[in-house]
Amino acid sequence: SEEIMLVRERNLLVFLYFLSFLLAFTTGKRVKGTLQSVHDWKFLARFCFKTGGHLGYNLAYPKSRCCQNILMYFDEAFQWDAAYDSNLNCTQRVALLNPRNNQKIVLDPAEDFSGCTDEFSTDTLQCTRSRRFVSALDRWWYLAVSRCGSTNGLYLEYDLHFLNPGGFWKREFSADEQGILETDIGFGIAMFLLMWVSFIWGSLLSQREMLHTTYKLYLVSIVLQVFGLSFLCIHYGVYGENGMGVDTLKTIGRVLSAVSELMFLVMLLLLAKGWTVVRGRLTNTSQFRLTALMTLYTVVYAAMFIWEAVLLMFCKLWLSVPSCQCLYFWHPQSVRAWLLCCHMLRLFLKPVQALNHTMHEETLTFEKNNQRCHLILIIVIEVNV
């Protein structure tokens, strides 16, 4: 029955999206950790600075590995793109930097501007200082650690704090992320008001015994969307304070928003088929097609989440890698639109099958499917936005 079909689809959606929960990745503009590598050159972090941005660092490494360097590349073909070329050795990568731009920090106590101190009572060098970035345009800066010619690799304990000029809404955010918090808050308020109005109408429909399953799907979708945006707002609000946020809330917010959108999509496809509007049940063929479409859709969507998580691990290192350029084409948002376009095309071409029927039946079929096409086209536009 239709009810059983909907329950199965909802269970499948929840399962696949909690799978994406386990595969979620996190980012932060306050980066802490320990770098340990057998190589003599290694990428560390990146940030998109506005002019006047600051980098504060607190570093520590054993004296036996002195002296390591912090290298700062910007997003030009002759800088980071060239440095990331695996055919270059450490010395060649360091030679790409212009000494006049102060892009190299030698972590040596003898260097005046390194901020390093030699505590004779310990075997560790401590380096604490800040750097200011000045450029005409917003730029991505990539940090790497080097110790060319090293036979025992690299070891560095680091605490990096990236800051942009501005107040709470801009300071902790990379230039490409500024505006996310304001946008989420705006849409969160709008969705909450819409949810409130929707529940009022739902109460009126319930009193008249007209609260159909499609409207219940809509209510579930909007509630999940409100909660998802709420969790995202909390994460980015905390992020604006400390540069780290609450990664668990961010992941939960993404999962809830994704499930909400798929629930909304199921509702629209059912309405496009005329269920609860002009018919009380769907044919077995329609049930099979919708189930197959949504199963394919959710499987591909989950696969794209996995692909996104894996691919972004490389994109964090180098934005210009060719496989990363297609990330946005194969992003889950784009996959939704492509699958819906395929479904829309199928609906549009379906009237051709009516050529063996009477002219009247043919006309009715074309008009009905043409209306479906318009509806699905609206969905495609909505999910892309």
Side-chain angles (χ1 to χ4, degrees):
S1 66
E2 291 82 9
E3 294 290 342
I4 295 176
M5 181 185 69
L6 292 175
V7 170
R8 289 177 178 174
E9 289 180 355
R10 286 198 295 266
N11 292 339
L12 179 60
L13 297 181
V14 172
F15 169 77
L16 290 174
Y17 272 92
F18 274 96
L19 174 64
S20 71
F21 172 84
L22 299 175
L23 296 167
F25 54 89
T26 59
T27 59
K29 301 316 169 197
R30 183 155 194 166
V31 185
K32 298 181 181 180
T34 300
L35 173 65
Q36 188 169 6
S37 174
V38 297
H39 303 288
D40 57 1
W41 186 97
K42 195 71 175 177
F43 168 81
L44 188 60
R46 68 167 190 161
F47 192 76
C48 188
F49 282 106
K50 289 182 172 291
T51 183
H54 284 80
L55 165 65
Y57 60 84
N58 185 6
L59 310 172
Y61 69 96
K63 294 179 182 178
S64 59
R65 296 176 184 258
C66 185
C67 294
Q68 299 181 149
N69 308 301
I70 297 294
L71 312 176
M72 296 172 286
Y73 300 88
F74 53 84
D75 54 354
E76 291 288 349
F78 60 88
Q79 283 269 303
W80 178 246
D81 289 2
Y84 199 77
D85 186 352
S86 58
N87 295 324
L88 300 181
N89 58 36
C90 177
T91 303
Q92 292 171 323
R93 288 167 171 168
V94 174
L96 297 171
L97 301 176
N98 188 341
R100 293 177 297 177
N101 293 337
N102 298 316
Q103 294 176 250
K104 178 180 178 181
I105 304 175
V106 181
L107 301 179
D108 186 353
E111 295 289 333
D112 295 334
F113 300 102
S114 66
C116 296
T117 57
D118 186 358
E119 300 292 339
F120 294 99
S121 59
T122 66
D123 295 329
T124 303
L125 293 176
Q126 294 284 342
C127 304
T128 303
R129 201 173 175 83
S130 64
R131 285 296 176 99
R132 185 169 181 264
F133 294 79
V134 179
S135 60
L137 301 173
D138 300 346
R139 277 193 180 278
W140 281 100
W141 286 85
Y142 300 83
L143 273 62
V145 183
S146 72
R147 187 180 174 222
C148 296
S150 171
T151 57
N152 56 353
L154 300 169
Y155 182 90
L156 183 68
E157 298 175 7
Y158 58 91
D159 182 357
L160 307 175
H161 196 181
F162 301 92
L163 295 172
N164 267 320
F168 169 79
W169 304 99
K170 295 183 178 180
R171 203 161 68 106
E172 296 286 352
F173 294 93
S174 180
D176 66 312
E177 295 178 329
Q178 292 180 4
I180 292 179
L181 177 57
E182 299 95 310
T183 303
D184 284 346
I185 291 175
F187 275 96
I189 294 173
M191 293 300 292
F192 178 80
L193 295 175
L194 181 60
M195 181 184 68
W196 180 65
V197 174
S198 299
F199 271 105
I200 292 176
W201 281 104
S203 177
L204 296 175
L205 290 173
S206 179
Q207 293 174 9
R208 299 182 181 183
E209 298 183 354
M210 299 176 62
L211 188 59
H212 299 300
T213 304
T214 48
Y215 196 85
K216 293 177 182 178
L217 285 173
Y218 164 72
L219 291 178
V220 172
S221 172
I222 196 170
V223 169
L224 291 175
Q225 189 66 244
V226 169
F227 275 100
L229 287 171
S230 299
F231 285 129
L232 290 175
C233 287
I234 294 173
H235 161 72
Y236 284 112
V238 176
Y239 188 96
E241 286 289 340
N242 59 18
M244 300 181 71
V246 185
D247 294 323
T248 301
L249 293 182
K250 179 183 178 182
T251 304
I252 294 174
R254 290 187 65 196
V255 171
L256 292 178
S257 297
V259 175
S260 168
E261 292 172 2
L262 285 183
M263 296 288 287
F264 192 74
L265 176 59
V266 171
M267 182 206 70
L268 289 177
L269 290 175
L270 290 172
L271 288 177
K273 287 292 185 179
W275 189 55
T276 72
V277 179
V278 295
R279 64 174 71 178
R281 57 170 290 125
L282 297 176
T283 63
N284 293 334
T285 303
S286 296
Q287 292 183 37
F288 173 78
R289 289 178 177 177
L290 281 176
T291 302
L293 174 66
M294 292 310 302
T295 300
L296 174 64
Y297 186 90
T298 50
V299 169
V300 174
Y301 204 138
M304 290 301 103
F305 262 110
I306 299 173
W307 174 251
E308 179 189 29
V310 173
L311 189 57
L312 278 179
M313 293 174 61
F314 297 96
C315 292
K316 288 175 186 295
L317 305 183
W318 188 26
L319 283 176
S320 299
V321 68
S323 58
C324 292
Q325 293 178 350
C326 66
L327 172 62
Y328 301 102
F329 181 83
W330 291 111
H331 190 274
Q333 300 283 348
S334 300
V335 172
R336 291 205 305 268
W338 280 108
L339 289 176
L340 285 172
C341 284
C342 294
H343 187 61
M344 181 183 68
L345 181 62
R346 183 183 67 81
L347 291 175
F348 183 77
L349 296 177
K350 188 176 179 181
V352 177
Q353 301 173 359
L355 290 177
N356 296 327
H357 299 281
T358 62
M359 185 64 68
H360 178 67
E361 292 174 338
E362 194 174 9
T363 303
L364 289 178
T365 304
F366 181 84
E367 290 177 354
K368 179 175 65 176
N369 286 282
N370 207 22
Q371 292 174 356
R372 296 177 187 171
C373 294
H374 294 160
L375 178 60
I376 299 301
L377 180 59
I378 293 173
I379 305 172
V380 174
I381 297 173
E382 183 271 332
V383 296
N384 267 322
V385 172

